[in-house]
Structure formats: C-alpha cells, structure tokens
Amino acid sequence: MSVIPSWASAPLVMHSETTVQPNSDAEFSAGPLTNSTGEAVYIYEVKFSIRPTDKVIASSTGSGKLVSGGQFAISMAIKDQDDFGYSLTNNPVPIWSLGSPHNLKEEIININLQSVGSADRLSALAHNHWKPDHPIYMPPGARFVPTVRSLGAFGSEAIVGISLVCGVTPSAPMKDRYKLPWVGAYLSSSFEYNATGSDSSADNLLANPHNKNVFVERFVGRIHCLNEVLLNGVTFQSLRDDAGDASSVGVSGNNWYSRAFRVKMQDSAGNVLVRRSTLFRNVFCSSTRTWECKTVLPPQQYFNVDVEKSVLPTMTQTIGRSTRAQVSVAMIGWREVSWRKE
Amino acid sequence: MNISQFNSPQILSGSVSIVPGNTAMVTLNEMASRSRRWLRLNQMNVSLFVDSMKVGQEIQLGAGRPIGSLVNIRAHSSRFSLMREYMRVWLLGPRTHYDAEFLSNYTTILGSPISINTNALNVGPFESYRLQFAKPFYLPVGDTYSCQLSADASLSTYITTSVTAEVSVQAVVLSKDEQKKAEKQVAEEGNPIPFLSQFNPFEASFVAGLTATGYAKSSNLELANPFLSPLYIKRLNGRQKLSTLGSDLTSTSANTRIKIADSRRVVCDLTDFRNVFNTSTASWLIESVLDGKKSDQQQDYLTAELYTANISSYCPEISMVGYRMEQV
C-alpha cells in the first residue's frame, strides 16, 4: 500500500544550507523551509548533503578531513505561524542514524583525486537521506526547523544542506490526528583502539517523554570509526562507518570494530530486549544497520543500551587504521499529534 | 499503562568457537526464550570472524573463499528442523550490501583485491550474513531454538586455531492479545516453519584442485519437499567460490551455468549463473511451491543442473529457502 495520499499533487523540494563550526550548533534560515504554498504539504523524504569548506589541499604533504553523516547530528521540529508545533527529535540524532543505508559506499565519502594544486583536489561530499515511515504533515504557513550540530570529530568548518522532498496537497482536508516522527539517539563514549570499556545510555535519550504512546519501528545501530587514511602522501582524518569507504584506497581495517563492540538492551518496564552481551552487528543487522523491532513505547518509558568494547587484534601501524570508535543507537518511531488548536 | 501489554522485541543469541573439521553447538540455554509468552521469530543473523591467520594465507581466505563459504549451520526448534542438512552460511540469504556482508581487511568494496597491508597482517576478516525467514514463525512457550555449526577441514589451511561464530535471532515477545491471535492462526492454518536445503556438488573437487570441466545434476533429495504438505519456496540463492582473487562478485558467469526444472521447465537451458542469480543480490525471488502431493512414494523436488568450466577455478552452489505450514 502506498503511503502517498491519493490526492497528492504537485511535487515540491525545499532546500536550505548552513555553515557549522566544530563542536557548535547552527540553525538554518527559516524562509526556504517554510510552507508558503498556502496549501497543506506532506514531506516524503529528507535529504542531507555535507561538505567541508577547506577542501583544497595545495601540496602533497598536507592533511585533510573527510566528511560523513556520523560527524553531524540533527534536531528537527515543525512550527506554525504562531510558533505552535512539535519536535521530531528527542535530542540531536547523527544524520546517518535516521534510516537504513541503501548503499554504504555511496553515502559516506566521494573523493575527487585531482592533480596536486588543483582547486578540486581531494574534495569530499557525504549524502544521507531519511524516508519517514509516514509522510510528515506541514500546515500552510508552517516551517521546518532543523538545527545541525558538529559533533567534534570533524575539526573544520562544514556546509550542511537539507532538502525536503514534498507533495503539495491543495484539497487535503485537515485531519484530527497526524502521524509525526519521533526519533531519539544515544551516542556512546569514544573508545581507543586498544582500550576496553563500557558505557550506558542515559534514561532520557531513547525515551518517550510524551503522554501518548510512541510506536517504535526500528533501531538503527552504527559504529563510528575515526580513521586516518593515507592517500598519495596526504594523511586524511575521517569518521566513517565500520564497513569501508568509497575511496578504494587505504582501506586496511574494515569491520575491525564490528568484532569489538557488544551490546545489551532493556526497557524501563523491566523487559529485557537483549539479555546476553551480543555482538553489536548481530543486533543491528550488518546489511541494514537496523533492527526492525516494531514495538510500542508507552508514555514516560525509555530504553537503555549498555555497550561493551573489547580489545582488538594487534595492528602495528596507525596510519590506515581507525584510532578510536564509538557506537550510536537511534530509535526511529512515530506518534500521533493534532494540529487543531480549538 | 505497562509496556508488557504490547509486543516486546527481543534478541536471542549465542556464540561458539569452531575448530576446522569439527562441529559446535550454540547452547540451548542461550538461544531459548525465557519468556512465558510465545515468540515470533523474524530473522537470524550470523557473524563470523577469525582473529588469527596463518602468515601469507589471509588473501587466499578473504578473496577466494569467504569464511561464510566454509562454515555451515543447521538450525532447528525443539520440534522442527529448519534445514535438511548443514547449510553454507553464505547460502542463507540474498546479499543486501556487498560491502556490509563481506568486507575483509584486504579487499576493496568491490571485491577486487589490494595488497595485504602490513597493518592487517595475520588478522582475518569479519563477515555477516542473515536469514530473513520467508514468513515469521512462532516459538510456543517451552520450545527452544538452537543451532549447530561446523567448519570445513580445509579452513585449517588458512587459520591458526578456530573461527568464532555468533548467531542471533531477532524475535518478538507476543503480547497477550497477539498470542491469542497467533494460537488461533497456528491451530487453523499452521505455523510457517522455515525449510532450507542446498546443492553444492563440486566442493571436494574444488578443494582438491581438480582441473576439469564439471557437470552435476541434483537428485530427488537435495532440493526436495520431504513433507506431505506444500513447501512454499521464497527464493533460490546462488553463490560461487573462486580459486583466484576476487571472490563471489567477480564476473565469471560465462564459466558457470545452471538449468532448473520441477515438474515443468523453470530455467530451460544452461544459462549464465549470474543471469539467474543476479550479481547484486546473488539471489532469485522465485515465489513458487512444491505441492508435496505427488504420491506417498515420490517427493516433489527441484532438479538443478550445474556446469562449471573448470572445477578448480569456479565452484557454484545453490540453496532453496522456503517454509511449510505445520500444525502444532
């Protein structure tokens, strides 16, 4: 069954960009993400693009950084003209944790290897997209309010773009209830390559703080690897998923951390979701990075994640291997809200 | 309001170390439900990894023979067997992302080899595979789910000690209402118990390095419906081991061919292997049925004919993934 309403009509894409500094938040200008059509709009897909501003490496001995959706987190809300509205996120969510990756190698890094000194040399771009389980309703005049946070692993200025793929629905009558996404995320501590350790999620992260049920569709689990890659004499820092990058070069430690991270999970009502300390990759299926759990999280309840990191096999060099890693677990769900204010 | 009113997701898991040539069992306790409610099982994930390789053998295992092609699994509930025999782990399901399923530390994302980086020396790959059950099936209270695993003796050529296998099942603890619905469904229609079988006739010759053209036809046993009720076939998976670098993804379809028939012709002539099981998924969503009603003496079965231009170079193998309805 299609999720697109039968009365959907004109397609519409709204786009905005912002520049974000390391360890900082940045807002997007409201105008481009405002529903100024005078009609109801449904958002079917949210797309992200990330690129560094210092892409030019002038010499072959410099260093640089490659971007990914794991280095930036997003908060989202929808507000109407009276500033009444709803949050879509409980806390900043790593951009690549919003949904199952369709193609890991395309979402992370695209390196353009040009000659030394070329203005285009070693430019990088990351793309991620999120298809909500139910189209997001935007009343006429409402605005989409995202805030992006640079999580610190990317130590330079970056430009983050957000595009809303929508449909304008002129004849759509206002309904009593709308299904709106609700997403929470936990980002673990960062662990050194040779270190053991553990970490647990706080109670307020994978939570339902509302007074109505949240319908949880899936968990998305990602392993964030801070990597050093040697490309033609240039050392690049990147934060990537644990399964390779698109460079086909310098890949020497793929899936290293998949064998090191284990996880347990339970909820606040005492249900044990993952009893035995289980390989992170076996909980969040390797090929999809997700656990399609389909459950209900009642009001004021939450999930807890306990992460364990073990020692990895010895590697003799540091260039080309991930020096440290952390995991993220996102809870992707939805709840019902009303836009009627009477 | 309490969360136990609703379905609750749960992961069952267990792990074992397997010495080449031996079998090991993922213990029943670890894979059993501790719930007093029925479980609905959706998917089984299997991860395999080796921490210590024999020097110089890393690339042989990683590129030509993924661990998933040398480790086997047999899963069963306490009442039913899910597999006719031990199954190659990489034959459990289709490939979703090549780079997510199998990416060793010495191949690129496209499977073409690069030189062994000294960083990765002596450390084996990590691989993940999954069996998405054709239909989620139920595990009633008191039933258990368990797995036995085995590793081919030829794996000892590459690794120093053992391979670690971790098996997990993504399940749902049913709510009271959902359990009532499930009990009714199982009583009236049956429980959709998975059933898998495989056909890999060239393994011994491949390991022995037999340089010859290979041809083999499955009997009425390998890809058969051994039940008196219909066997619904969801998909066929096709993989091929290679002696040279590049693994399963390398385009060698002209060198391996397949023909399939049941009571009708399915793949009429010997056809390029990768034209039947496409390159991106290594699978064919066939959605067919073996009705199981030929006679009391004769089983319904698929016949597969496999051809390889050189057994020592190309070793194709296939599996059949389906389910049958069992009254509990």
Side-chain angles (χ1 to χ4, degrees):
Chain A
M1 188 175 67
S2 171
V3 294
I4 300 176
S6 58
W7 26 262
S9 57
L12 172 71
V13 174
M14 295 186 252
H15 177 80
S16 185
E17 288 185 352
T18 192
T19 301
V20 60
Q21 303 297 329
N23 294 304
S24 299
D25 290 356
E27 296 182 348
F28 293 71
S29 57
L33 300 178
T34 298
N35 175 11
S36 54
T37 64
E39 309 286 354
V41 159
Y42 279 88
I43 303 169
Y44 299 124
E45 202 167 357
V46 183
K47 297 183 177 181
F48 301 91
S49 62
I50 309 161
R51 64 181 190 272
T53 55
D54 59 344
K55 66 177 182 179
V56 179
I57 305 299
S59 73
S60 61
T61 56
S63 63
K65 292 180 171 63
L66 306 176
V67 291
S68 75
Q71 294 157 317
F72 300 86
I74 193 88
S75 301
M76 296 172 279
I78 293 181
K79 293 182 177 176
D80 68 10
Q81 290 153 311
D82 302 328
D83 227 25
F84 168 81
Y86 298 99
S87 288
L88 277 56
T89 48
N90 188 31
N91 57 328
V93 179
I95 285 174
W96 69 10
S97 296
L98 286 166
S100 172
H102 287 252
N103 192 328
L104 286 169
K105 72 177 192 284
E106 287 183 0
E107 75 167 15
I108 302 172
I109 299 165
N110 180 17
I111 302 171
N112 183 14
L113 280 168
Q114 302 289 337
S115 59
V116 173
S118 163
D120 289 330
R121 186 165 197 263
L122 296 166
S123 62
L125 187 66
H127 284 289
N128 294 89
H129 74 116
W130 173 42
K131 194 164 188 174
D133 292 280
H134 302 281
I136 303 169
Y137 173 72
M138 275 183 89
R143 65 190 191 281
F144 192 85
V145 189
T147 303
V148 66
R149 173 175 295 178
S150 176
L151 294 172
F154 187 70
S156 305
E157 185 182 75
I159 297 171
V160 177
I162 187 167
S163 304
L164 309 179
V165 180
C166 311
V168 184
T169 57
S171 57
M174 179 171 263
K175 296 190 284 189
D176 288 337
R177 316 290 300 172
Y178 288 92
K179 291 173 179 173
L180 200 66
W182 181 249
V183 181
Y186 154 62
L187 191 61
S188 78
S189 306
S190 182
F191 300 95
E192 294 294 323
Y193 180 83
N194 288 320
T196 59
S198 61
D199 192 40
S200 298
S201 64
D203 297 347
N204 63 344
L205 298 178
L206 304 174
N208 175 9
H210 312 294
N211 56 9
K212 291 214 163 46
N213 290 336
V214 166
F215 298 84
V216 181
E217 294 284 342
R218 68 189 61 81
F219 295 107
V220 178
R222 291 290 200 127
I223 300 177
H224 302 224
C225 298
L226 185 70
N227 200 36
E228 288 182 329
V229 181
L230 189 62
L231 295 175
N232 293 348
V234 180
T235 302
F236 268 73
Q237 273 200 328
S238 70
L239 188 142
R240 60 179 179 79
D241 191 277
D242 198 30
D245 57 39
S247 70
S248 302
V249 185
V251 181
S252 59
N254 294 307
N255 286 332
W256 278 114
Y257 286 93
S258 290
R259 68 187 80 196
F261 280 109
R262 292 183 169 272
V263 65
K264 291 181 184 175
M265 287 179 71
Q266 58 280 326
D267 66 34
S268 49
N271 295 302
V272 178
L273 280 70
V274 185
R275 181 179 302 277
R276 176 181 172 275
S277 186
T278 302
L279 213 56
F280 190 84
R281 271 286 164 265
N282 264 24
V283 175
F284 310 103
C285 171
S286 182
S287 58
T288 63
R289 269 47 178 160
T290 64
W291 176 11
E292 297 287 342
C293 61
K294 291 197 186 300
T295 188
V296 177
L297 190 61
Q300 311 304 320
Q301 301 280 355
Y302 55 86
F303 295 107
N304 277 135
V305 178
D306 299 318
V307 174
E308 296 169 12
K309 155 78 172 52
S310 60
V311 173
L312 284 162
T314 303
M315 287 176 77
T316 52
Q317 297 180 33
T318 56
I319 291 294
R321 84 174 193 197
S322 299
T323 49
R324 58 191 168 92
Q326 59 191 150
V327 300
S328 66
V329 177
M331 173 190 81
I332 315 293
W334 52 273
R335 58 187 171 129
E336 290 192 321
V337 301
S338 173
W339 284 96
R340 293 190 193 279
K341 287 182 272 187
E342 65 271 10
Chain B
M1 190 180 289
N2 189 294
I3 198 168
S4 59
Q5 292 175 259
F6 306 104
N7 289 344
S8 176
Q10 192 171 76
I11 296 281
L12 312 175
S13 70
S15 67
V16 286
S17 287
I18 318 162
V19 175
N22 289 313
T23 62
M25 189 161 187
V26 177
T27 59
L28 288 171
N29 284 342
E30 287 179 314
M31 294 295 284
S33 165
R34 294 165 191 246
S35 165
R36 279 170 291 180
R37 298 219 173 273
W38 280 29
L39 292 181
R40 185 170 61 216
L41 310 187
N42 299 317
Q43 181 173 309
M44 178 170 73
N45 298 326
V46 183
S47 291
L48 305 168
F49 54 99
V50 175
D51 281 344
S52 181
M53 302 284 294
K54 288 184 177 171
V55 175
Q57 293 295 335
E58 297 92 340
I59 202 153
Q60 300 292 334
L61 178 63
R65 301 169 178 83
I67 314 177
S69 72
L70 295 169
V71 174
N72 313 285
I73 188 167
R74 187 169 193 179
H76 43 85
S77 73
S78 45
R79 300 187 201 204
F80 303 108
S81 177
L82 275 56
M83 295 162 186
R84 178 181 170 272
E85 57 181 348
Y86 277 100
M87 295 281 304
R88 291 287 193 217
V89 170
W90 77 342
L91 284 174
L92 291 175
R95 184 164 52 213
T96 309
H97 297 298
Y98 189 80
D99 45 351
E101 172 186 275
F102 165 66
L103 189 66
S104 65
N105 40 15
Y106 24 70
T107 59
T108 70
I109 47 177
L110 292 177
S112 55
I114 58 175
S115 59
I116 300 174
N117 190 306
T118 52
N119 295 339
L121 196 63
N122 302 338
V123 180
F126 178 101
E127 299 171 17
S128 283
Y129 302 91
R130 66 169 175 164
L131 166 61
Q132 196 164 22
F133 299 125
K135 270 197 169 184
F137 71 104
Y138 299 102
L139 207 60
V141 175
D143 277 16
T144 55
Y145 183 95
S146 56
C147 296
Q148 289 164 293
L149 290 113
S150 73
D152 285 10
S154 61
L155 194 58
S156 62
T157 307
Y158 314 106
I159 69 176
T160 54
T161 52
S162 61
V163 56
T164 302
E166 178 137 344
V167 182
S168 299
V169 175
Q170 293 181 347
V172 174
V173 183
L174 296 185
S175 66
K176 199 172 178 181
D177 290 344
E178 283 286 314
Q179 183 168 324
K180 277 183 186 169
K181 284 185 204 168
E183 287 170 356
K184 189 177 175 202
Q185 182 198 324
V186 166
E188 292 176 356
E189 303 165 30
N191 194 358
I193 305 295
F195 187 73
L196 288 81
S197 55
Q198 68 177 10
F199 180 49
N200 57 344
F202 302 124
E203 181 62 30
S205 303
F206 178 70
V207 172
L210 180 66
T211 305
T213 301
Y215 170 81
K217 184 176 181 178
S218 63
S219 72
N220 60 355
L221 293 176
E222 285 97 349
L223 303 174
N225 172 8
F227 312 104
L228 292 175
S229 55
L231 179 65
Y232 301 94
I233 305 171
K234 183 75 174 176
R235 63 172 70 247
L236 301 177
N237 300 311
R239 305 271 190 155
Q240 49 188 346
K241 284 199 286 279
L242 305 175
S243 59
T244 53
L245 306 180
S247 186
D248 188 35
L249 201 63
T250 303
S251 178
T252 57
S253 59
N255 294 312
T256 47
R257 293 174 178 271
I258 186 168
K259 183 177 176 181
I260 302 173
D262 52 12
S263 52
R264 304 148 298 181
R265 294 195 299 173
V266 180
V267 178
C268 301
D269 298 304
L270 278 171
T271 302
D272 285 358
F273 197 72
R274 282 280 165 254
N275 276 10
V276 176
F277 311 104
N278 73 53
T279 305
S280 59
T281 63
S283 184
W284 179 17
L285 197 64
I286 190 169
E287 301 278 14
S288 184
V289 60
L290 293 172
D291 64 24
K293 291 177 181 170
K294 270 191 172 173
S295 73
D296 287 347
Q297 283 76 39
Q298 192 177 6
Q299 295 175 330
D300 232 2
Y301 56 90
L302 281 180
T303 303
E305 296 174 58
L306 285 172
Y307 164 83
T308 172
N310 188 336
I311 298 177
S312 67
S313 301
Y314 319 105
C315 180
E317 43 197 46
I318 64 172
S319 68
M320 182 174 82
V321 180
Y323 68 95
R324 81 277 190 180
M325 302 302 284
E326 290 280 0
Q327 302 285 340
V328 179

